[in-house]
Amino acid sequence: MPFTIPNVNAVLRAVKMSRQRGGSAARMADLEESNELLRNQAEELAHQTNEARELAHELALTNAELRAVISEAKKAWAAADAANRSDA
């Protein structure tokens, strides 16, 4: 096949298209890798969210226990104060 301008242009177009396809494949691989990273981060975030919910629940229970202890301490304080006043 003789090298004519149209033939050279056709070869150049074919090379350019091949490079574009190769670039597209590389971009696709990059996107797939990014998607995998995002999926992993989403799973980790879901795990951390569940842990935070569990900790918040435990904190709420601890707060309720503390309120009960404070209430009992106030009652004991009031009873001791009343006993001290009656002795006086």
Side-chain angles (χ1 to χ4, degrees), residues 29-67:
D30 288 344
L31 286 173
E32 288 173 357
E33 183 179 345
S34 295
N35 281 340
E36 182 63 25
L37 289 172
L38 287 172
R39 275 192 291 275
N40 291 339
Q41 289 174 348
E43 288 175 11
E44 180 62 25
L45 182 58
H47 176 70
Q48 290 174 353
T49 299
N50 287 337
E51 284 184 350
R53 284 187 183 130
E54 289 173 10
L55 290 172
H57 180 70
E58 288 178 24
L59 182 60
L61 292 175
T62 301
N63 284 340
E65 290 171 3
L66 285 173
R67 281 190 209 98

